[in-house]
Amino acid sequence: MDIAEMIEEFQSRGVALWANGDRLGYRSPKGVLTREDLAALKARKEEVLAHLRERDAIGHDEQARFEPFPMTDIQRAYATGQYSGYELGGTGCHSYAELLAPPLDRERLEAAWHELIRRHDMLSAVVIPPDSLRVVPFEEGPVLEEIDLRGHDPRTPDEDYLRYRSELEDRRYPLGAWPLHEFRLLQFDACSILQFSVDMIIADFVSVKVMTQELMDLYAGRRPAPLAEATFRDTIMARTRRATDLAGSAQYENAKQYWAEAIETMRDKPSLPVEHASAPSDDELARFTRRVWRCGSEAWTAFTRCAGGHGVTPSNVLLTAYADVIRRWSSSGDFCVNVTSMSRDQAIEGVERIVGDFTEVVVHACRPRPGSFLERVRATQKQLFDELSHAAFPGVEVLRELGRAKGAPAIVPIVFTSALGFEQDRFLAHASWMNPRWGLSPTPQVWLDHQVYESEGEVRFNWDYVQELFEPQQI
């Protein structure tokens, strides 16, 4: 029996099979799978996985390119969070950055920006309320605004400079607006500062890196690497179709059962001493600020070598340490942290260069554990692996079910974002003459977001937090 016939025969008996990374997932009606069936699946696991991956490969649908498509759960949450009726709402999820460079030519930079939009469909996307997106055919690109700040010192921001920073740092993109991102050029006597703002409905953390890197490549006359054939829309439509088929439904139910059991012992947010700070009122916007730290290439190389020698990943080491720090300030040892992951299908060649919001959230339960730090890192790694393996039941639904179990809305405002391993050593690597100067990523219903990513050998840590909630010495 060839592999296709074998899988079809299982499906005819109601057995769902799916690829879950390197694992073969299955769900079966009680009593249907025999020992012989399980032995056959084990013996031919690699063949089955290869067939399932080929069957589920994502292609490009050019005819439907400009048709509406559904938002992801995270995108819906971002859109909803813009409204001030939610705790610490009233702000969209948006990223702002400033890049310092030698004097830049406005017309040349504007042309590079327009070419960037042509390359990436999501840069032409608009929101169709309440919860859809549509790519708009590119016709005329936006104008790159140029601000003359000659005579001002970019090293010591004055009132004028800070006013222009605040305009984009606090930018809100109304639902239905186009474009959902913006570049602006500040011209000083001996340098330029490129301001960049983007609504995270259209771009995740990795996409922001792609956009800035490719803009500089295009400005310098370098041709960026070819894009994947599949677009962000193609990946979302493929997921939507899969959710309704036998394998997708079984994977969802399997993940739902996992989380139903986990929720029984889960808490939501940590009990931090934020009551000593004056939280913004419902009519005020939460004001974010950022703390930054960099780890040099030599120290980071030694750190990753040490982690690898113990069979753990740097991200899991940092997550464990992050939870320890939060627990130090929390009056309860049990709490949850939202761990963001980039759900990019690695079977798509060039998927790391697709601009779009591939963010998924895993609600990670942090509990006091006995043993050494290394033992706790290993426990974190195993637990997070299991949680990610059951991401078919999304984090937004986990929080909803956790709220039902508690009898009150569940809020997890502490976030851990790791982009380690994506586009390693490539962020601005060809544009070392352009240096990140300032940035901020306000997010609705978030108190503190820990972000970490690699750039040219070193690692950069950002802590974006609501400044009204914490005393400076706490952070």
Side-chain angles (χ1 to χ4, degrees):
M1 183 184 300
D2 69 24
I3 206 69
E5 291 174 340
M6 176 181 171
I7 293 173
E8 186 176 348
E9 194 275 331
F10 277 118
Q11 290 177 336
S12 70
R13 290 190 277 151
V15 178
L17 302 170
W18 65 89
N20 188 1
D22 293 329
R23 289 179 170 183
L24 175 60
Y26 66 89
R27 189 178 179 89
S28 166
K30 188 174 181 179
V32 169
L33 280 179
T34 65
R35 289 183 179 179
E36 289 77 13
D37 290 331
L38 292 172
L41 287 173
K42 183 176 181 180
R44 305 186 70 178
K45 173 187 171 183
E46 296 305 322
E47 293 177 81
V48 173
L49 285 173
H51 182 86
L52 293 174
R53 292 184 184 118
E54 183 177 356
R55 182 198 67 185
D56 297 335
I58 300 172
H60 176 54
D61 186 353
E62 179 62 28
Q63 285 190 321
R65 180 181 176 187
F66 302 115
E67 295 296 319
F69 60 100
M71 288 183 177
T72 66
D73 290 313
I74 291 297
Q75 289 171 322
R76 292 189 193 97
Y78 290 163
T80 302
Q82 294 190 20
Y83 300 104
S84 59
Y86 295 85
E87 180 180 342
L88 291 181
T91 182
C93 185
H94 133 265
S95 182
Y96 171 75
E98 292 177 3
L99 304 172
L100 177 67
L104 298 173
D105 179 75
R106 193 205 71 83
E107 291 185 1
R108 183 174 160 193
L109 188 60
E110 182 181 85
W113 181 17
H114 294 176
E115 181 60 24
L116 185 72
I117 296 174
R118 291 188 188 94
R119 277 177 59 82
H120 297 284
D121 278 3
M122 284 303 290
L123 299 187
S124 291
V126 296
V127 174
I128 303 176
D131 57 1
S132 295
L133 292 160
R134 185 171 75 86
V135 174
V136 177
F138 183 90
E139 293 180 358
E140 183 176 352
V143 174
L144 177 65
E145 185 181 5
E146 184 178 37
I147 307 295
D148 188 353
L149 288 179
R150 294 175 179 88
H152 298 256
D153 186 351
R155 296 170 298 181
T156 55
D158 57 19
E159 184 178 349
D160 289 336
Y161 181 2
L162 292 176
R163 184 176 71 253
Y164 289 118
R165 171 182 289 178
S166 181
E167 284 179 3
L168 289 196
E169 195 176 70
D170 298 334
R171 172 75 80 213
R172 294 179 66 188
Y173 294 92
L175 301 182
W178 183 93
L180 292 174
H181 73 288
E182 182 176 356
F183 289 99
R184 188 165 69 180
L185 193 56
L186 305 181
Q187 297 286 27
F188 295 87
D189 291 313
C191 67
S192 297
I193 288 181
L194 180 63
Q195 295 181 291
F196 171 43
S197 167
V198 59
D199 192 313
M200 302 301 276
I201 282 179
I202 65 166
D204 57 21
F205 196 68
V206 173
S207 299
V208 169
K209 296 167 66 176
V210 171
M211 291 171 66
T212 51
Q213 178 65 67
E214 289 196 358
L215 181 71
M216 289 301 98
D217 283 343
L218 291 165
Y219 180 84
R222 293 186 293 266
R223 189 67 187 170
L227 294 176
E229 180 182 353
T231 64
F232 179 75
R233 183 190 186 280
D234 293 324
T235 65
I236 298 305
M237 293 306 297
R239 291 184 194 177
T240 302
R241 289 189 297 270
R242 177 173 167 75
T244 60
D245 67 21
L246 178 64
S249 298
Q251 189 174 9
Y252 175 87
E253 291 299 326
N254 189 59
K256 183 178 180 180
Q257 181 179 344
Y258 169 88
W259 285 108
E261 296 173 1
I263 283 170
E264 294 177 1
T265 58
M266 287 170 62
R267 306 278 186 91
D268 59 354
K269 61 179 177 290
S271 299
L272 297 175
V274 295
E275 65 270 16
H276 299 304
S278 57
S281 69
D282 289 341
D283 296 328
E284 296 175 321
L285 297 181
R287 183 71 185 175
F288 281 77
T289 191
R290 169 173 287 184
R291 295 289 182 92
V292 178
W293 184 73
R294 297 183 178 186
C295 179
S297 59
E298 185 175 340
W300 181 248
T301 298
F303 176 82
T304 56
R305 186 182 300 117
C306 181
H310 290 291
V312 295
T313 68
S315 286
N316 281 300
V317 176
L318 297 176
L319 174 57
T320 305
Y322 184 51
D324 284 353
V325 171
I326 299 300
R327 186 174 293 107
R328 165 67 178 78
W329 289 90
S330 175
S331 61
S332 61
D334 284 1
F335 55 85
C336 286
V337 168
N338 275 336
V339 177
T340 61
S341 63
M342 309 301 160
S343 182
R344 292 172 177 256
D345 186 349
Q346 296 303 309
I348 301 174
E349 185 176 355
V351 69
E352 72 279 0
R353 292 188 297 276
I354 298 177
V355 169
D357 183 22
F358 292 88
T359 306
E360 288 188 352
V361 171
V362 169
V363 185
H364 176 70
C366 301
R367 300 184 177 93
R369 301 181 188 274
S372 66
F373 180 72
L374 177 58
E375 289 171 330
R376 290 186 286 112
V377 172
R378 286 172 173 158
T380 295
Q381 181 162 289
K382 181 182 184 304
Q383 177 186 331
L384 186 60
F385 181 83
D386 289 340
E387 291 166 341
L388 290 168
S389 297
H390 294 90
F393 191 72
V396 172
E397 294 195 42
V398 172
L399 288 175
R400 193 175 298 133
E401 293 302 316
L402 182 58
R404 288 196 182 105
K406 291 172 67 247
I411 299 173
V412 179
I414 306 299
V415 180
F416 179 82
T417 302
S418 173
L420 298 177
F422 284 96
E423 289 289 285
Q424 184 174 351
D425 273 344
R426 292 185 61 186
F427 182 40
L428 299 180
H430 299 298
S432 56
W433 46 271
M434 174 163 281
N435 299 306
R437 176 185 175 86
W438 175 250
L440 198 63
S441 298
T443 307
Q445 296 185 287
V446 166
W447 294 354
L448 170 64
D449 184 3
H450 175 299
Q451 305 155 9
V452 57
Y453 64 92
E454 292 177 83
S455 179
E456 297 189 274
E458 71 175 13
V459 171
R460 302 179 184 183
F461 297 81
N462 300 330
W463 274 28
D464 289 350
Y465 62 96
V466 180
Q467 61 185 15
E468 295 91 349
L469 292 180
F470 300 98
E471 298 290 348
Q473 62 269 25
Q474 288 177 310
I475 296 298

